[in-house]
Amino acid sequence: GAVVSQHPSWVICKSGTSVKIECRSLDFQATTMFWYRQFPKQSLMLMATSNEGSKATYEQGVEKDKFLINHASLTLSTLTVTSAHPEDSSFYICSARRPTGYGNTIYFGEGSWLTVV
Amino acid sequence: DAKTTQPTSMDCAEGRAANLPCNHSTISGNEYVYWYRQIHSQGPQYIIHGLKNNETNEMASLIITEDRKSSTLILPHATLRDTAVYYCIVRVDYRTQGGSEKLVFGKGTKLTVNP
């Protein structure tokens, strides 16, 4: 079964509004979570690394004031797309590192489709 | 940038073994090779990972060359549901430099399993 869950699976919002996407680790504590976005027919692009209790680390070119990341607990990270515009429409995916066993495997959520109209 | 190169696409007959190659010639000694797959409109699914030795689990086998510069993912009996984009990823770990680990995705291999 899924070990990382995202909500909502899809969301439609009006241009100029903000939308929040949640990422939860279901049966483990994740000190580190990652957020990706994916445009159609393209690969996943890492946006930021979310660290529990501290500020997120953003990849070059990703606007931290537009994509707000909060990792307030060991099982929950949220991504808020502020003042969304149609070009922000994309598939957003989170992942979390499961700190057990060999290699500390990283698992991905099911993804969240965002459409800005 | 991704540290791996993979063929853009491959085809495989249903029931046959699918062998997906990956080159990672600049891999460092403490970096793992991870394989994920992504079926359309879903999040990536973990398949397998390895460091030096060959690995096998219920989904696949991973063969890593002795020099660790390349690897092959083997799906022993491909089914139609194995049609997906397969990503080979070298897991970059920046923690020792005070940064954070992360998975950087390349373009992957689109595997099509044909009936």
Side-chain angles (χ1 to χ4, degrees):
Chain A
V3 297
V4 176
S5 179
Q6 284 183 239
H7 179 82
S9 298
W10 58 270
V11 57
I12 301 173
C13 73
K14 291 185 176 180
S15 189
T17 62
S18 296
V19 61
K20 180 185 291 186
I21 301 170
E22 294 185 345
C23 178
R24 295 182 183 274
S25 55
L26 297 183
D27 62 354
F28 64 97
Q29 295 182 330
T31 55
T32 305
M33 292 184 174
F34 306 88
W35 286 97
Y36 293 80
R37 68 187 299 183
Q38 185 177 30
F39 293 109
K41 297 186 178 181
Q42 294 187 21
S43 187
L44 285 76
M45 183 193 80
L46 179 65
M47 298 175 67
T49 301
S50 171
N51 304 297
E52 189 270 335
S54 65
K55 292 182 178 180
T57 303
Y58 289 83
E59 295 298 303
Q60 192 173 8
V62 178
E63 298 176 62
K64 62 181 181 181
D65 294 330
K66 181 166 185 61
F67 299 100
L68 301 179
I69 291 173
N70 184 279
H71 195 154
S73 79
L74 287 171
T75 59
L76 174 64
S77 175
T78 59
L79 168 68
T80 301
V81 183
T82 63
S83 187
H85 288 96
E87 56 265 31
D88 298 322
S89 299
S90 185
F91 190 47
Y92 291 88
I93 311 167
C94 74
S95 65
R97 179 173 62 88
R98 187 171 191 172
T100 55
Y102 169 58
N104 296 336
T105 300
I106 294 176
Y107 292 93
F108 286 80
E110 313 94 325
S112 299
W113 284 100
L114 170 64
T115 301
V116 185
V117 298
Chain B
D1 290 341
K3 297 178 66 174
T4 63
T5 55
Q6 299 175 252
T8 303
S9 62
M10 292 183 65
D11 284 88
C12 176
E14 187 178 18
R16 297 293 190 114
N19 298 287
L20 291 87
C22 178
N23 287 321
H24 31 79
S25 58
T26 61
I27 192 170
S28 299
N30 61 350
E31 291 177 326
Y32 291 84
V33 179
Y34 275 74
W35 283 84
Y36 287 82
R37 71 181 182 184
Q38 187 178 27
I39 297 170
H40 182 63
S41 298
Q42 298 180 26
Q45 177 189 22
Y46 166 78
I47 301 174
I48 199 168
H49 72 278
L51 183 62
K52 295 180 182 178
N53 300 320
N54 298 336
E55 301 287 344
T56 296
N57 62 21
E58 64 277 5
M59 289 183 68
S61 294
L62 174 60
I63 308 298
I64 302 174
T65 58
E66 193 170 344
D67 62 8
R68 301 215 318 128
K69 293 185 177 182
S70 65
S71 62
T72 301
L73 178 74
I74 301 173
L75 306 179
H77 305 286
T79 70
L80 299 179
R81 285 179 291 183
D82 291 323
T83 293
V85 178
Y86 287 77
Y87 295 99
C88 168
I89 302 167
V90 168
R91 182 158 166 184
V92 182
D93 191 340
Y94 295 118
R95 287 175 296 172
T96 54
Q97 286 84 42
S100 62
E101 61 188 305
K102 54 188 178 182
L103 293 177
V104 178
F105 283 75
K107 297 183 178 180
T109 296
K110 180 171 174 53
L111 174 69
T112 302
V113 181
N114 300 304

